[in-house]
Amino acid sequence: MSRLDLTGTPVAPGVGVGVVRVVVEPGMGPKAERHLARKDVESAIERLDQAMAAAVKGLESIQTATAAELGIQDAAIYGAQIAVIHDPTALKEIRQSIREDLLVPESAVQALLERLTGHFEALEGGDIKNWAADLRDPWFAVLRELSDADIQLTQETDETVILVAEELAPSLVTRLPRQQVAGILCARGGRFSHGAVVARSFGIPAVTGLEGVHLKAKEGERCVVFGEDARALLGARASEVKSAQKKSTEHAQVQKVLSSQAQEKGRLGCGHPVSIFANIESPRDLEMFDRNSVAGVGLFRTEFAYMERPAFPSLQEQEDLYLQVLRGFSGKPVVFRTLDVGGDKPLRYFKMPKEANPAMGWRGLRLSLEWKDLFLVQVQALLQANAISATVDGGIARVMLPMVTTVEELREAKTLLSDTLGKAFQEIEFGIMVEVPAAAMALKDMVKEVDFVSVGTNDLAQYLFAVDRDNPWVANLYQPYHPALLRTLRYIAKTCQRAGVPSSVCGEMAGHRAGALFLAGAGFDGLSMAPPFVGEIKALLRETDFESLRILSSEAALCTTSGESFGMLRAEADRAWAEVLEKSMGGRP
Ligand code: PEP
Ligand code: MG
């Protein structure tokens, strides 16, 4: 049997093993338009009404079961789905297609689905397209009722299954009893789609963005899903299945133990504190993890709020959004990074010049300093949200600039904000991201101007090695563990320490086991990471002590190659992780 090793976008963590079940929604296949005789119009409308009522009933029972199992919040998605079916505009459109175009109800619903798909395909920007799934999914339920072809997967086997579909929709996740679904693989569906929310709440490992996976996967073949690594092995070998099964058991057991320790503060085994923060991109993220498990938000990527909209958000809209996030973190800091668009994050409603080399071009702070109004409105919204937050026992906002290159730029931004926004700005903590090598080298001057520093290792590596972080042709040169980067990072940590300015890292490296150990040893005060890594990194750090990490970090930076430094860091990470497993699994690593 052929074996395929695919990588996509991580949606829900964990390791799953099972046999492939490909799910094809009615209406996702080729369009087959069918027509009615005029005399049959009324009975067709009646059939549509009955199918809609049956679909709503089905959704209500899933809603009740989900509420009982996971709580009202998770069940709310199904309420939203019912509302989609009850949407009078959509209903009017379907009825009109039946009455005027004489389409059978199946074809009329398919026509609506095609229109929705076309509408969202025409829009650019990550999650917008993915929300199409949330709007289409309830209509698939109606189609299933209509076509009498409910593809409830029958339990032909005791084995767990990996559901494979084109789109990650909530109904896909609830199609089978939860214990039977070991994983989900989809070609489309964003991290914030409702399907993703349900998969995470149900604890089902899931990966999306796997181009054509529903066409490539073979019914019944053995498959392994690695949620964190966003990886799927189709046609997995027996040895791979065995080792994944072991990992899956470990993962479940460790997660249980880690969540019971979630509220413990971030520290090393010797007591040395290392604050653990979350990286988030939307208020929707707040529901996806235990906020008590972090010391606050180390990076809120504000650009996603801009990218999801059809036009620039107003001052009021931004204030509401920032306040929503602040309300979730009573008394804790929330670092808002100002708009970091440009490069790989375009705004479809904002015309950018055509640049030969956009990663090195007009992005981040460079853009904010050119479009000062946008910059000022954003920071003003943040200050207003912060002022209200203080009165409702919310979080404490901090402002952070992305892509700072020179101290002159930093001073210009600071003067502009201070002169225009006055005391409210002067009182808020203000920091920079260090992600351009020139900023790292000039940090001694920059730290005098700021209250904190956060290192964006994703971009710092890109610019240090002159390697596009998304270009597979040069991916071998993107080396986060290369001594050249490790030495730069140690220099940054030391410079901040000498100046008495708190430093943290919010690039991906902070959430990797070997990376977290290196950074803690280099002397960074905080690590900020995607929420699924928080429990694991906190547990790992508790199995180490500062003195040995300090030596490890210095020795890793003295190596000559990535292989040597990573090997050294990974050996310590493996040792510490074995301790975590040993404790979590009751002496059974
Ligand atoms: C980084 O560059 O490391 C970072 C955290 O910012 P982003 O990934 O959003 O560019
Ligand atoms: Mg960056």
Side-chain angles (χ1 to χ4, degrees):
M1 195 174 269
S2 64
R3 178 180 171 280
L4 276 179
D5 188 341
L6 307 173
T7 306
T9 309
V11 162
V15 179
V17 180
V19 291
V20 163
R21 285 280 178 275
V22 182
V23 181
V24 183
E25 293 291 3
M28 289 299 268
K31 187 179 167 196
E33 207 169 78
R34 287 188 291 127
H35 291 88
L36 291 163
R38 192 164 292 281
K39 66 173 178 44
D40 294 331
V41 163
E42 289 316 314
S43 64
I45 299 265
E46 203 173 307
R47 205 157 70 79
L48 171 74
D49 291 346
Q50 280 167 2
M52 284 172 54
V56 167
K57 209 163 149 214
L59 287 168
E60 279 170 352
S61 66
I62 300 178
Q63 187 181 27
T64 313
T66 308
E69 197 173 344
L70 299 173
I72 297 171
Q73 203 149 15
D74 288 300
I77 285 169
Y78 299 99
Q81 292 220 338
I82 293 167
V84 168
I85 297 185
H86 284 149
D87 171 19
T89 322
L91 187 56
K92 194 168 155 216
E93 182 177 330
I94 297 172
R95 287 199 170 143
Q96 215 164 359
S97 305
I98 298 176
R99 282 192 208 286
E100 293 172 16
D101 305 333
L102 296 181
L103 288 182
V104 297
E106 290 88 335
S107 296
V109 174
Q110 279 197 26
L112 172 82
L113 284 168
E114 268 158 30
R115 193 183 59 70
L116 287 176
T117 307
H119 176 68
F120 281 97
E121 289 297 329
L123 297 177
E124 286 167 22
D127 282 314
I128 292 180
K129 274 186 195 147
N130 297 322
W131 293 342
D134 298 338
L135 282 181
R136 280 193 295 248
D137 194 36
W139 290 109
F140 285 135
V142 176
L143 266 185
R144 283 196 290 275
E145 296 293 341
L146 273 172
S147 54
D148 213 16
D150 191 342
I151 50 167
Q152 284 288 343
L153 298 162
T154 47
Q155 189 166 345
E156 302 146 9
T157 160
D158 288 341
E159 285 183 294
T160 51
V161 304
I162 305 290
L163 295 177
V164 179
E166 182 170 6
E167 198 151 55
L168 177 58
S171 64
L172 177 70
V173 187
T174 50
R175 190 64 59 85
L176 281 180
R178 182 172 156 199
Q179 321 73 270
Q180 221 190 319
V181 184
I184 294 176
L185 302 176
C186 293
R188 289 189 298 179
R191 278 200 322 117
F192 297 122
S193 66
H194 283 153
V197 175
V198 181
R200 272 191 291 264
S201 332
F202 278 38
I204 302 175
V207 180
T208 64
L210 298 164
E211 197 58 43
V213 67
H214 55 301
L215 306 172
K216 292 174 186 160
K218 294 186 195 78
E219 191 71 13
E221 72 179 333
R222 220 144 264 297
C223 174
V224 177
V225 179
F226 298 100
E228 278 99 343
D229 300 337
R231 198 168 152 226
L233 290 180
L234 294 171
R237 299 184 188 113
S239 59
E240 290 168 334
V241 168
K242 203 164 158 218
S243 107
Q245 267 158 345
K246 189 166 165 257
K247 276 206 179 110
S248 166
T249 316
E250 278 175 11
H251 180 88
Q253 206 151 341
V254 171
Q255 288 308 318
K256 216 164 132 196
V257 176
L258 296 188
S259 62
S260 70
Q261 304 166 346
Q263 318 230 349
E264 283 186 28
K265 278 209 163 89
R267 59 169 176 84
L268 305 184
C270 59
H272 177 89
V274 179
S275 302
I276 303 296
F277 300 97
N279 287 352
I280 61 173
E281 286 149 18
S282 157
R284 289 189 293 268
D285 278 350
L286 301 186
E287 304 311 325
M288 293 174 196
F289 68 105
D290 177 2
R291 278 168 267 150
N292 293 317
S293 67
V294 291
V297 174
L299 171 65
F300 181 84
R301 292 178 159 104
T302 59
E303 59 273 12
F304 286 89
Y306 285 69
M307 289 161 75
E308 285 171 355
R309 287 179 156 73
F312 278 113
S314 66
L315 175 71
Q316 188 59 50
E317 279 175 314
Q318 291 193 56
E319 182 190 310
D320 293 347
L321 179 104
Y322 303 145
L323 184 58
Q324 211 181 329
V325 178
L326 285 166
R327 280 183 195 276
F329 290 93
S330 169
K332 292 179 178 173
V334 178
V335 177
F336 290 91
R337 176 174 75 183
T338 59
L339 194 58
D340 187 22
V341 286
D344 58 342
K345 290 180 279 196
L347 279 184
R348 64 200 160 84
Y349 48 85
F350 187 60
K351 209 157 174 50
M352 304 277 227
K354 214 167 169 48
E355 296 177 286
N357 205 343
M360 302 240 186
W362 207 45
R363 54 167 298 195
L365 179 63
R366 301 165 186 190
L367 198 141
S368 293
L369 287 176
E370 185 69 30
W371 291 86
K372 296 190 172 58
D373 290 356
L374 289 180
F375 186 38
L376 288 168
V377 165
Q378 180 174 38
V379 179
Q380 192 184 343
L382 268 168
L383 299 178
Q384 286 174 195
N386 194 39
I388 302 173
S389 180
T391 65
V392 295
D393 193 26
I396 304 153
R398 292 179 177 167
V399 175
M400 177 163 76
L401 304 179
M403 280 294 291
V404 179
T405 311
T406 64
V407 73
E408 296 92 309
E409 239 184 344
L410 165 58
R411 285 186 184 141
E412 183 186 344
K414 211 174 144 184
T415 309
L416 172 72
L417 296 170
S418 182
D419 289 354
T420 320
L421 304 171
K423 198 159 162 262
F425 172 72
Q426 289 145 16
E427 284 175 354
I428 203 164
E429 285 205 17
F430 170 74
I432 51 168
M433 284 197 77
V434 175
E435 43 189 352
V436 177
M441 299 320 291
L443 196 58
K444 202 159 63 61
D445 308 315
M446 297 212 190
V447 283
K448 294 179 189 147
E449 310 279 340
V450 297
D451 301 309
F452 65 92
V453 161
S454 183
V455 186
T457 46
N458 309 339
D459 275 319
L460 187 57
Q462 155 163 276
Y463 296 120
L464 192 66
F465 298 110
V467 166
D468 178 346
R469 65 197 246 192
D470 295 320
N471 182 344
W473 296 100
V474 285
N476 62 324
L477 280 173
Y478 189 92
Q479 298 183 6
Y481 292 95
H482 193 283
L485 182 62
L486 302 186
R487 289 172 208 169
T488 312
L489 289 166
R490 283 176 59 80
Y491 175 75
I492 296 171
K494 204 188 287 173
T495 307
C496 290
Q497 257 170 7
R498 284 195 181 138
V501 169
S503 62
S504 60
V505 175
C506 60
E508 294 300 302
M509 196 175 174
H512 292 174
R513 292 177 199 164
L517 296 191
F518 169 79
L519 296 166
F524 285 98
D525 305 301
L527 301 177
S528 191
M529 62 202 68
F533 301 113
V534 165
E536 177 175 321
I537 296 296
K538 277 168 85 174
L540 189 80
L541 292 175
R542 282 196 292 269
E543 299 306 326
T544 63
D545 67 87
F546 186 62
E547 194 44 29
S548 30
L549 287 191
R550 196 183 59 75
I551 296 168
L552 177 71
S553 157
S554 135
E555 285 178 351
L558 284 173
C559 289
T560 310
T561 65
S562 268
E564 287 163 16
S565 49
F566 183 58
M568 194 180 268
L569 293 165
R570 196 178 50 190
E572 175 58 8
D574 287 350
R575 182 210 60 78
W577 186 244
E579 297 279 339
V580 174
L581 289 181
E582 172 93 29
K583 287 182 184 162
S584 314
M585 318 257 302
R588 206 164 39 83

